[in-house]
């Protein structure tokens, strides 16, 4: 991964898995554990393929919340181990990645152990166990994701760097900083000094808010004389509240977020903003569907030198509507129309913003 970024390539990441698979009936909301990699591999494989066809250069292993302590707490599995899920997920990701020019990222996320004990030894042992599972399958690089305390992310980076492979570290933080109040700039500095090759943010807040946070991280690195590649994989929903705890504090989470969903045109704007900010690994997290990933690849097609396979069935900026039988629809076959559209929600009694819960667990 570092070689491709060092060469100036713009990397398109994949999208969200747990929320997509929950909506399709393969993941149980609450603990969001990834046993579908074993129970329903065809569902995970299909979503991987859709992201690949949409232009993703990286296929992440479906191993979110796959530490043994999280699986035990969830109660979702009784006869499947974390190691079995990790290895099955690696096989699925590699199978699909090999169908295109994609890399496989072995992914680890925050652990219940950290909040419970703050024990560096215990938390690192959990990450080490997951790392060993991934190394059996020779993944291409690692991603630390969905971690809201920079200290835990540092421990993960330190463990994963012992593999000799590149490590990306993305925090789910707001511009206010992590759950301990560590500012984004300082978070980035600590991650890079711990050995992270790629740093950034993922999930919790909407794309433009996440771009703002990564800009703060970049400024911190620049001021400290440090260098790293920048990465962003934000939420696929609008969160103008920009609250400390992110979208999990919103009253609509997790079953009524549809009216907040990004349009493909929102994603075009996000991709351009991210690229202009110097971010060269651009993907999505919860709420990002394959057509959103296609929008990233289409917006940056000039920089990347090609369009994704999925663009064969999509007219850029609505161009295919030029063949529509209705003249008022044909009139929408132009970029200016979609760039300037203010979509209605169709819900006249609904507010444009909500009041987030303020009891987010730190």
């Amino acid at each position: 991964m570092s070689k491709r970024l060092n060469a100036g390539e713009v990397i398109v990441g994949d999208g969200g898995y747990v929320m997509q698979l929950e909506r399709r009936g393969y993941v149980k909301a609450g603990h969001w554990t990834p046993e579908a990699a074993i129970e329903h591999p065809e569902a995970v494989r299909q979503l991987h393929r859709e992201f690949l066809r949409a232009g993703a250069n990286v296929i992440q292993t479906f191993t979110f919340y796959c530490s043994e302590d999280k699986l035990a707490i969830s109660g979702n599995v009784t006869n499947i181990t974390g190691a079995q899920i990790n290895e099955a997920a690696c096989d699925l990701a590699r199978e699909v990645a090999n169908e295109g020019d994609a890399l496989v990222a072995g992914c680890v996320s925050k652990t219940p152990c950290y909040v419970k004990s703050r024990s560096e030894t215990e938390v690192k042992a959990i990450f080490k166990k997951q790392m060993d599972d991934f190394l059996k399958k020779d993944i291409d690089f690692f991603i630390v994701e969905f971690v809201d305390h920079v200290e835990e992310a540092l421990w993960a980076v330190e463990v994963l760097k012992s593999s000799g492979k590149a490590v990306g570290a993305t925090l789910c933080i707001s511009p206010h900083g992590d759950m301990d109040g560590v500012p984004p700039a300082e978070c980035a500095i600590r991650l890079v000094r711990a050995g992270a090759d790629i740093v950034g943010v993922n999930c919790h807040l909407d794309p433009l808010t996440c771009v703002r946070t990564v800009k703060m991280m970049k400024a911190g690195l620049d001021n400290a004389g440090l260098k790293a590649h920048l990465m962003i994989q934000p939420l696929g929903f609008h969160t103008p509240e920009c609250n400390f705890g992110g979208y999990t504090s919103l009253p609509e989470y997790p079953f009524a977020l549809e009216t907040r969903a990004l349009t493909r045109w929102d994603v075009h704007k996000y991709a351009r903003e991210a690229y202009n900010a110097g971010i060269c690994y651009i993907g999505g997290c919860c709420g990002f569907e394959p057509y959103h990933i296609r929008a990233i690849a289409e917006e940056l097609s000039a920089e990347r030198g090609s369009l994704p396979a999925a663009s064969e069935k999509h007219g850029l900026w609505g161009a295919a509507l030029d063949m529509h039988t209705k003249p008022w629809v044909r009139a929408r076959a132009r970029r200016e129309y979609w760039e300037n559209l203010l979509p209605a929600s169709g819900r006249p009694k609904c507010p444009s913003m909500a009041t987030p819960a303020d009891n987010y667990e730190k």
Side-chain angles (χ1 to χ4, degrees):
M1 172 52 68
S2 294
K3 289 181 180 179
R4 292 175 71 161
L5 289 169
N6 288 339
E9 184 175 349
V10 179
I11 299 295
V12 175
D14 54 5
Y17 285 90
V18 291
M19 191 161 282
Q20 280 294 94
L21 290 169
E22 189 278 332
R23 290 174 172 179
R24 298 180 184 192
Y26 300 104
V27 165
K28 189 174 183 179
H31 289 289
W32 307 96
T33 50
E35 60 273 10
I38 287 180
E39 294 177 344
H40 300 285
E42 73 288 350
V44 178
R45 183 185 294 111
Q46 177 61 25
L47 191 50
H48 281 325
R49 282 186 174 140
E50 291 178 25
F51 285 133
L52 181 71
R53 178 174 167 77
N57 299 120
V58 175
I59 300 298
Q60 295 185 208
T61 57
F62 181 48
T63 49
F64 179 76
Y65 275 167
C66 200
S67 61
E68 296 290 357
D69 59 337
K70 182 65 175 181
L71 292 174
I73 291 171
S74 76
N76 289 341
V77 293
T78 57
N79 60 347
I80 303 174
T81 67
Q84 289 173 318
I85 296 173
N86 286 331
E87 292 183 24
C90 286
D91 289 340
L92 290 169
R94 178 61 70 191
E95 175 189 347
V96 175
N98 286 348
E99 295 172 4
D101 183 27
L103 300 175
V104 173
C107 299
V108 302
S109 49
K110 65 181 180 179
T111 68
C113 178
Y114 177 79
V115 174
K116 181 180 178 180
S117 70
R118 297 278 177 132
S119 168
E120 181 176 356
T121 300
E122 293 178 18
V123 172
K124 282 188 169 181
I126 291 172
F127 288 134
K128 172 67 163 57
K129 189 171 184 179
Q130 292 177 282
M131 179 185 73
D132 291 342
D133 293 338
F134 292 129
L135 291 178
K136 290 178 185 176
K137 298 295 182 177
D138 195 31
I139 51 89
D140 295 304
F141 71 106
F142 287 101
I143 294 177
V144 181
E145 64 173 356
F146 202 75
V147 183
D148 44 21
H149 295 84
V150 69
E151 182 178 58
E152 185 178 15
L154 292 178
W155 295 346
V157 170
E158 289 169 356
V159 170
L160 298 177
K161 281 299 289 185
S162 69
S163 69
K165 293 183 181 290
V167 176
T170 54
L171 302 174
C172 54
I173 61 173
S174 73
H176 306 296
D178 80 344
M179 288 292 104
D180 292 319
V182 180
E186 179 62 23
C187 287
I189 291 169
R190 294 184 190 181
L191 289 170
V192 172
R193 286 178 174 163
D197 304 280
I198 312 165
V199 295
V201 297
N202 84 297
C203 208
H204 262 208
L205 290 165
D206 63 38
L208 297 186
T209 301
C210 287
V211 169
R212 179 177 151 205
T213 305
V214 178
K215 284 181 177 179
M216 297 168 75
M217 299 175 88
K218 182 179 186 299
L221 294 176
D222 290 344
N223 290 336
L226 298 172
K227 293 189 179 296
H229 296 293
L230 301 174
M231 175 177 178
I232 186 169
Q233 300 211 109
L235 200 64
F237 305 103
H238 291 283
T239 57
E241 296 84 354
C242 190
N243 59 303
F244 192 62
Y247 81 131
T248 60
S249 298
L250 297 177
E252 300 96 332
Y253 174 83
F255 299 129
L257 288 163
E258 285 81 357
T259 57
R260 289 176 176 262
L262 302 179
T263 69
R264 65 194 69 192
W265 317 119
D266 292 327
V267 176
H268 273 268
K269 181 179 180 180
Y270 148 61
R272 183 54 56 189
E273 291 280 343
Y275 180 80
N276 288 345
I279 304 169
C280 287
Y281 187 134
I282 304 170
C285 198
C286 295
F288 262 75
E289 300 187 32
Y291 74 93
H292 291 125
I293 300 303
R294 180 180 63 189
I296 296 173
E298 289 182 344
E299 175 62 30
L300 299 175
S301 61
E303 290 79 2
R304 287 162 49 79
S306 64
L307 286 167
S311 293
E312 296 171 3
K313 298 294 184 180
H314 185 240
L316 297 180
W317 292 102
L321 297 181
D322 194 47
M323 303 297 292
H324 202 279
T325 57
K326 303 292 191 294
W328 57 90
V329 177
R330 289 200 300 273
R332 299 170 189 165
R334 54 194 176 89
R335 178 172 183 160
E336 292 77 13
Y337 176 85
W338 296 109
E339 277 191 321
N340 295 299
L341 179 69
L342 297 176
S345 71
R347 297 174 181 268
K349 295 183 179 181
C350 289
S352 60
M353 296 173 66
T355 302
D358 57 7
N359 60 343
Y360 188 80
E361 180 184 359
K362 294 187 179 182

